Amino acid sequence: MLRELRIRDLALIAEAKFSLDSGFVVISGETGAGKSLLISAVDLLTGKKSDAAMVRQGAEAAEVVGIFDLTKPGGHRLVEQMLGTVPAPQTIEIRRRIPATGGKSTATLNGSPVSLKSLQTLSSVLIDHIGQNQTRGLSEPSTRIAMLDRYGGLESLTDRYRESRDRYETARRRRLEAESTTAAASAEMERLRFDLEELDRLSPVPGEPQELMAEAKRLSKADEIRRLTSSAHHAISESEPAVHDQLARIARKLLPIASLSADLSRAHASLSQVLNDLDDIAATLSDAGEAAQADPGRSDAIEKRLSEYRRFARRFSVTEDELSNVRNRLHERLDSLEGKSHEKIDDAVLRTLLAECHRWAEEVVQGRKSAAVRLSTAIRARLHRLGMECAELTIHVEPAMWPENSTTWPSAPDCPGQVQFLFRPNPGEPESPLERIASGGELSRLMLACMSCLADSAGTSTIILDEIDSGVGGRLGTEIGSSIADLARHHQVICITHLPQIASQADQHLLVRKRTVAGRTTTSVLELESRESRVEELAAMLRGKKADATTRAEAAALLEHAQAADAPKTRSGKPLNGIKRVRSNR
């Protein structure tokens, strides 16, 4: 439960520090005084989004501190996980700081930094905030289902359904993935075989394209090659005088003097080597000329093969010389796919898992139907106490549609059955879905009735009722206050209200007021500790500034009636007039 709240520089609140009792705590004040700031402060402790605009003008940062007593086992477990300490402390401090500069807010738990997500998780076992927006949650299927399951104690049963559904869905996904993988692999192998059949027919060889292009060029120049090689051969060996013959005569003339010096010897040797090279050159030219024959058939064959090389190179986006590597890679990929075995979940396994899932779903539906009868009866009784004597509420449970066994194996339902609240506010009218017919005031009373029925099984120790009496007149205030007081026997209930009939039944009364001093507006929080101060505020709630002695007498009667209705027992361990030390900063 929320034991203490400290606020500094939050909007109009310069500083406030006050303790909160267990039981029924009411917050009142004029419209615009800043009651909602207290709820905003608590919301910040639960990880809600912050804004630099929340910081009081001129301050560096706003800060909210909440001291909580851990009363639920779930809270102890979460704190142990977040702090890494076992056992968890019985009291925790949550601190939230919002800088005015617009930077990120920070949060700590017992001095250790925590994320806002962690605060949101922890808030699920600390605080349940119910306002006008939250009452409309009754129109949401998930809210109705959660209420019914909590009332019927069906959470473990629904957990088993979810676990069985998860097992089925996991197996189903593996089955579909295996089928998809097998189909994709088959298509890929077919494509690989087709490509390899064509590449094997080409049988690419590294370097062959360059050789073919060189040969094609030689064939296209055959006539020119024969003409030029013949002319060169004739000049070297056959002309008059031939180059070879002239050099041979020179060599013979130098021979007698070649031994007279080293230079002459080298010159003669070089000339002899040139004569030998000319013989080789002449023979090579003769062979090249004879080999250079035009061959149209060979040229066509070369062009056809080069065309195939180019076609496959474009197809695989590689060069002609890389096609042999592509062929090798495709063979490796095909061998890999042919060697894989794709596991496929058997039909019998899926059928068994789906049957188990269906069995748990039927148990959940039957449990919900049984709980629906009891809860609707309990809610109707509370609605009658809240001034809705003729209202009728029926909770209808509709089983989900289940897929038949088939080769497609569709998903199992997320929820085994939907829950519908059918409401009839007046006799003679047909029942209609709650979200279509209930007014804001009716939704508020319905939510209060539901919370009262769920009091023993609620997951949080603190419930905030934010003007849940909106749309309700003072005539029903006493009954609504009594219902809230009953709820406060099991939880700490913090209620913002404008109705004195509700405020009179509180264990603790906090007054929020706004004042302007020296041109600066400030909101302060006061605890009304004496009977006289409570009577004065109740009178103000009844008549505002026009309150007189008669109004104060009426207010005193309201307070005495609440005390008499609750005597001799107390809800928070202290008398209803709640005399205790005030801690407020004005």
Side-chain angles (χ1 to χ4, degrees), residues 230-248:
S230 175
S231 174
H233 183 274
H234 181 76
I236 292 172
S237 304
E238 299 175 355
S239 64
E240 289 294 339
V243 173
H244 186 278
D245 293 342
Q246 294 183 57
L247 290 177

Side-chain angles (χ1 to χ4, degrees), residues 161 164-165 352-365 399-403 412 416:
Y161 169 74
S164 66
R165 182 184 182 277
T352 299
L353 290 173
L354 184 59
E356 179 190 13
C357 189
H358 197 181
R359 178 172 61 83
W360 284 117
E362 288 180 338
E363 290 198 28
V364 170
V365 169
M401 296 295 294
W402 278 81

Side-chain angles (χ1 to χ4, degrees), residues 88-261:
Q90 294 301 310
T91 300
I92 60 171
E93 178 195 271
I94 299 175
R95 185 182 298 266
R96 183 85 180 272
R97 188 176 188 274
I98 301 95
T101 56
K104 287 186 177 180
S105 68
T106 57
T108 61
L109 173 62
N110 281 12
S112 299
V114 290
S115 66
L116 297 188
K117 187 175 181 180
S118 295
L119 290 186
Q120 291 165 8
T121 301
L122 185 58
S123 72
S124 65
V125 295
L126 294 179
I127 292 174
D128 196 359
H129 180 178
I130 301 171
Q132 278 290 289
N133 291 334
Q134 287 74 20
T135 59
R136 301 205 175 273
L138 285 172
S139 303
E140 296 295 326
S142 58
T143 301
R144 298 193 293 261
I145 289 172
M147 282 186 172
L148 187 58
D149 287 349
R150 188 196 299 177
Y151 183 79
L154 304 174
E155 288 95 338
S156 61
L157 203 58
T158 54
D159 286 343
R160 291 179 182 177
Y161 169 74
R162 281 191 288 268
E163 291 166 0
S164 66
R165 182 184 182 277
D166 289 345
R167 287 192 292 270
Y168 167 71
E169 287 297 320
T170 299
R172 171 182 166 273
R173 281 193 298 272
R174 286 174 55 193
R175 165 67 173 264
L176 295 178
E177 287 169 1
E179 290 177 347
S180 175
T181 301
T182 301
S186 298
E188 185 179 359
M189 286 190 290
E190 183 177 352
R191 189 169 57 252
L192 287 170
R193 292 189 185 102
F194 176 78
D195 290 341
L196 283 169
E197 183 179 350
E198 292 200 314
L199 281 173
D200 287 344
R201 193 160 50 243
L202 175 66
S203 189
V205 177
E208 184 185 16
Q210 290 79 7
E211 294 175 0
L212 290 174
M213 285 187 284
E215 184 181 356
K217 189 173 183 179
R218 286 195 303 271
L219 289 172
S220 69
K221 300 285 186 179
D223 292 341
E224 187 177 0
I225 291 172
R226 284 197 307 273
R227 180 174 59 80
L228 293 176
T229 55
S230 175
S231 174
H233 183 274
H234 181 76
I236 292 172
S237 304
E238 299 175 355
S239 64
E240 289 294 339
V243 173
H244 186 278
D245 293 342
Q246 294 183 57
L247 290 177
R249 282 196 296 271
I250 295 171
R252 286 193 296 271
K253 289 181 179 180
L254 290 176
L255 181 59
I257 61 172
S259 60
L260 298 179
S261 72

